[in-house]
Amino acid sequence: MVTTSIYLIPLLPLMAFAVNILFGKKVGKQASAISIASSLLSCLCALPLIVAVAGGRRFSGEWLWLNLGIDQLKFGYLIDPLAATLLFVVTIVGTLIQIYSTGYMHGDPRYSRFFAYVSLFMSAMLTLVIANNLVLFFIAWEIMGLCSYLLIGFWFEKDSAANAGLKAFLTTRIGDVCFLIGIFSLFAAIGTLEFAKFEGALKGNSHVLIPVAALLFLCGTIGKSAQFPLHVWLPDAMEGPTPVSALIHAATMVAAGVYLIARTYPVFIASPAIMPVVAIIGTITAFMAAFIALTATDIKRVLAYSTISQLGYMVTALGLGGFTAGTFHLMTHAYFKALLFLGAGSVIHGTGTQDIRNLGGIFGKMKSTAITFLIASLAIAGVPPLSGFWSKDEVLSSAFHSGNMLIYAILLLTAFMTSFYMFRLVFLTFFGKARDHQIHAHESPNSMTVPLWILAVGAALLGLPASPWLHNWFQTFLTAGHAGGEHEINRMVMASSIGVALGGILLAAVMYLWVPALAGIAGKLFRPLYWLSIHKFWIDEIYDVCLIRPFLQIGKILYKFDERAVDGCVNGTGWITLLGGKMHNWCDHYIVDGLVNFVGALTQFLSRVTRRLQTGLIQNYLLIIFLGVLILIYFEMRS
């Protein structure tokens, strides 16, 4: 019974995907009900398992998939405290996002397709969470990459959405290739890819490929979780529907990268030279993204850079040995970030704009959206006793107790910036006077506001398992007595965390509520920093000049090579150019095009032969049988 329920967790959303993608026109608006029901049932299957794991049980199982010579490749499931934590996040948050989507996507011509893609996304993430080995993990990882492409570019009739989907797909592929090579490296080093066997296989093993595998796994996380320098795809992913943004940022895509480090943590512990690299990448990302968010004006892009920054927090904690801190922040972040994105979607739905410069004074007209958004903003800012305070404090404590005061100072400054830009967003959106009187705000329907209130409860209360009142129950649950770099709460760290949170809120109130002119003065006074923030460190432009344009130019050169070669010969530039052009023309015509045309011609020829053999006419079959008998008699007589 238990085994069946575990299999059903990813299988039910997969079945919903199959129904909606194959019979979308017939099911119509019922597509949402199918997807929500499958996700809700997955949640109901997962919750008893989560409770059982909290009580000390573990669940594992496997079956043979392939024989690889003397080795065997087995697929299976592993539900331990880490997997149970992610199941708690993905099933609940994913279900609420889908309920919200029924209101947000109402009237969309591709309604059933949207819910089909979301169900596949959920199925892939749930498979990744319960996978017991890296091969199954990677398969689910790649399916999520496909789903992100399909959902980010869902409104593909807009060039910006189509380009954003392509950018996300290609950028994350860089990390995926590294991750795959890392899997090969680890297998060559320890001879297993099963998570449960990592500690035993790594103990006393000093193989040179182990740190290589850890570094390559980090590259996979950099791509998937949008860490520097591959963070550039995530802000553009805002071109997709807002529920997709919430799903990617809270329950699926970017969480998978952090989960990869946590799941393969024994590999990183066995590679002490790589751990500082993890911490440095996370710290750079956390600070840089928060700095960019200070001047962003699109409500969803502010939240996108916020996600990148918070993911940097998690990666930093894991790099500093704070296994519990990084994982706990991953859980709390999922709830308040989903609430923030769904709240932003409600604002867009109710006002028709996502430019915060055109908003203001809508608190009274959208009270449910405003109150829940405020709760989430307080949580991410780290105001006690909301969830974000406890998880952020755990990360800051990890940095402080690691002895690296520079990282601690940068993360503390990042926390201040987080509080400031979030309440800049809150004050410009919900408070003050309306800046565009053509906007007539209205509250969203219950299908959108009810999930907001449920997520608000999670954003408020989920920090309690790490609070002194429960004696950090989450740490005991997750580590089960193993060392994870954890520590008691430091009062100085806690006080500084509260101080920067309240200081950021106060500064935002002064600049955007009480003395609005200060914002313009600050922009002029710190002009270089302002331009650095508003232009996002010019990283996209650097990529454009150094990578994108050269590759496009190479493609154009190869495409036009024949003409240029002939022109060069006519102009006397040399016979080598002409020879190169002819060779390229010959290869393109006979090798590339010729191979493709041969495959097509061969397929057509074989289909013509097969059609003549399978005509459906009984007399033809009798004739073939008769001729076959005659041939057999002939050869029998010859022998």
Side-chain angles (χ1 to χ4, degrees):
M1 184 64 182
V2 172
T3 303
T4 302
S5 64
I6 294 173
Y7 290 149
L8 287 176
I9 292 172
L11 183 60
L12 287 167
L14 182 62
M15 293 168 62
F17 160 74
V19 172
N20 284 338
I21 202 69
L22 295 175
F23 308 104
K25 291 184 179 179
K26 292 184 179 180
V27 299
K29 294 182 178 180
Q30 299 304 314
S32 58
I34 295 171
S35 289
I36 292 170
S38 69
S39 186
L40 185 59
L41 289 172
S42 292
C43 183
L44 294 176
C45 289
L47 287 177
L49 297 171
I50 295 169
V51 173
V53 172
R57 295 189 63 187
R58 303 290 185 272
F59 301 95
S60 62
E62 62 184 12
W63 67 94
L64 178 63
W65 187 51
L66 284 176
N67 281 311
L68 302 174
I70 61 173
D71 296 314
Q72 292 181 331
L73 179 58
K74 297 179 180 180
F75 281 173
Y77 58 84
L78 172 64
I79 301 182
D80 57 2
L82 180 60
T85 301
L86 267 291
L87 282 178
F88 180 75
V89 170
V90 177
T91 54
I92 296 176
V93 174
T95 301
L96 292 172
I97 290 172
Q98 291 181 66
I99 295 172
Y100 174 96
S101 300
T102 59
Y104 192 89
M105 297 301 293
H106 178 73
D108 192 281
R110 294 187 290 272
Y111 188 80
S112 61
R113 186 183 299 181
F114 173 83
F115 280 96
Y117 292 162
V118 168
S119 291
L120 182 60
F121 214 162
M122 286 287 293
S123 178
M125 184 62 188
L126 291 170
T127 301
L128 180 144
V129 168
I130 68 173
N132 75 330
N133 66 79
L134 277 171
V135 177
L136 185 57
F137 189 103
F138 184 76
I139 292 172
W141 174 284
E142 287 299 290
I143 294 173
M144 279 202 297
L146 170 64
C147 292
S148 68
Y149 169 74
L150 295 172
L151 286 168
I152 292 169
F154 185 75
W155 290 323
F156 54 80
E157 57 272 9
K158 296 192 304 180
D159 288 341
S160 57
N163 292 335
L166 186 62
K167 183 177 183 179
F169 189 78
L170 293 177
T171 305
T172 55
R173 291 288 74 71
I174 298 171
D176 293 358
V177 170
C178 293
F179 180 22
L180 181 60
I181 299 173
I183 293 174
F184 295 150
S185 302
L186 185 65
F187 185 76
I190 67 175
T192 183
L193 296 176
E194 294 183 33
F195 301 129
K197 297 180 180 178
F198 278 2
E199 288 191 14
L202 289 165
K203 189 175 182 180
N205 192 332
S206 58
H207 199 290
V208 68
L209 287 178
I210 293 175
V212 172
L215 185 61
L216 291 168
F217 289 167
L218 173 61
C219 293
T221 296
I222 289 172
K224 212 68 160 184
S225 289
Q227 298 294 284
F228 174 83
L230 298 181
H231 65 281
V232 292
W233 68 269
L234 193 57
D236 289 351
M238 299 304 98
E239 292 293 337
T242 300
V244 172
S245 302
L247 198 64
I248 289 175
H249 288 248
T252 55
M253 186 82 168
V254 297
V258 178
Y259 184 66
L260 169 62
I261 296 180
R263 180 46 88 190
T264 59
Y265 209 57
V267 180
F268 287 88
I269 294 296
S271 309
I274 305 301
M275 293 288 277
V277 179
V278 177
I280 291 169
I281 290 293
T283 304
I284 292 173
T285 305
F287 176 82
M288 177 197 66
F291 188 76
I292 295 172
L294 294 174
T295 58
T297 55
D298 184 302
I299 187 171
K300 289 174 66 177
R301 285 183 180 265
V302 174
L303 299 179
Y305 283 109
S306 170
T307 298
I308 297 172
S309 181
Q310 296 303 307
L311 291 167
Y313 261 89
M314 302 169 206
V315 171
T316 301
L318 292 169
L320 295 173
F323 178 73
T324 298
T327 307
F328 186 54
H329 198 53
L330 176 63
M331 181 180 72
T332 60
H333 175 265
Y335 279 83
F336 59 68
K337 186 50 62 70
L339 178 55
L340 287 169
F341 266 108
L342 297 186
S346 182
V347 170
I348 297 168
H349 183 272
T351 64
T353 183
Q354 52 196 72
D355 191 332
I356 59 177
R357 295 171 296 184
N358 297 331
L359 295 170
I362 66 173
F363 189 99
K365 299 176 181 178
M366 303 183 68
K367 288 185 178 179
S368 290
T369 300
I371 294 172
T372 54
F373 198 94
L374 182 60
I375 292 172
S377 299
L378 289 168
I380 193 174
V383 175
L386 302 180
S387 63
F389 165 72
W390 301 108
S391 59
K392 183 188 73 173
D393 187 75
E394 287 279 341
V395 176
L396 290 174
S397 294
S398 295
F400 182 82
H401 287 277
S402 71
N404 195 321
M405 291 298 107
L406 177 60
I407 289 181
Y408 171 71
I410 294 173
L411 292 183
L412 200 61
L413 177 59
T414 302
F416 174 78
M417 291 191 293
T418 302
S419 178
F420 174 79
Y421 69 67
M422 281 308 306
F423 276 85
R424 167 181 175 265
L425 172 59
V426 169
F427 294 143
L428 287 176
T429 302
F430 297 104
F431 294 91
K433 296 181 180 179
R435 288 180 289 277
D436 187 344
H437 295 286
Q438 295 182 347
I439 294 176
H440 302 287
H442 60 85
E443 188 58 276
S444 300
N446 289 336
S447 61
M448 297 173 67
T449 56
V450 170
L452 295 181
W453 283 107
I454 297 174
L455 286 168
V457 173
L461 301 180
L462 274 182
L464 295 179
S467 67
W469 307 311
L470 294 180
H471 306 287
N472 207 337
W473 175 87
F474 187 79
Q475 174 180 326
T476 305
F477 161 70
L478 194 63
T479 60
H482 296 292
E486 324 312 334
H487 37 72
E488 296 297 327
I489 291 176
N490 185 294
R491 295 184 183 277
M492 190 277 289
V493 173
M494 182 181 290
S496 62
S497 175
I498 297 172
V500 297
L502 297 179
I505 296 172
L506 179 61
L507 181 60
V510 170
M511 294 182 64
Y512 295 99
L513 276 185
W514 302 330
V515 192
L518 280 179
I521 295 172
K524 293 178 181 178
L525 187 62
F526 302 101
R527 176 68 65 178
L529 295 177
Y530 174 79
W531 280 96
L532 191 63
S533 174
I534 202 168
H535 289 288
K536 301 167 289 187
F537 290 80
W538 289 279
I539 293 176
D540 276 301
E541 288 77 7
I542 292 171
Y543 284 160
D544 186 57
V545 171
C546 297
L547 294 174
I548 298 173
R549 290 186 185 180
F551 273 100
L552 289 176
Q553 194 61 35
I554 290 171
K556 291 179 181 179
I557 291 172
L558 293 176
Y559 183 73
K560 296 291 185 181
F561 195 91
D562 301 336
E563 297 178 8
R564 293 184 181 182
V566 174
D567 291 341
C569 184
V570 172
N571 295 330
T573 57
W575 61 271
I576 297 178
T577 309
L578 177 60
L579 178 61
K582 288 183 176 180
M583 284 297 294
H584 174 270
N585 183 56
W586 186 89
C587 291
D588 186 65
H589 183 72
Y590 292 102
I591 301 299
V592 180
D593 289 345
L595 182 61
V596 173
N597 293 336
F598 171 75
V599 171
L602 179 63
T603 303
Q604 288 183 334
F605 171 75
L606 293 175
S607 66
R608 283 197 296 268
V609 173
T610 306
R611 283 200 301 270
R612 293 184 180 278
L613 293 175
Q614 298 291 337
T615 62
L617 299 175
I618 295 178
Q619 56 268 35
N620 288 359
Y621 298 155
L622 291 173
L623 177 61
I624 293 173
I625 293 171
F626 177 71
L627 293 175
V629 171
L630 289 180
I631 292 172
L632 289 174
I633 292 173
Y634 171 76
F635 281 107
E636 182 66 24
M637 293 177 65
R638 286 286 303 269
S639 62

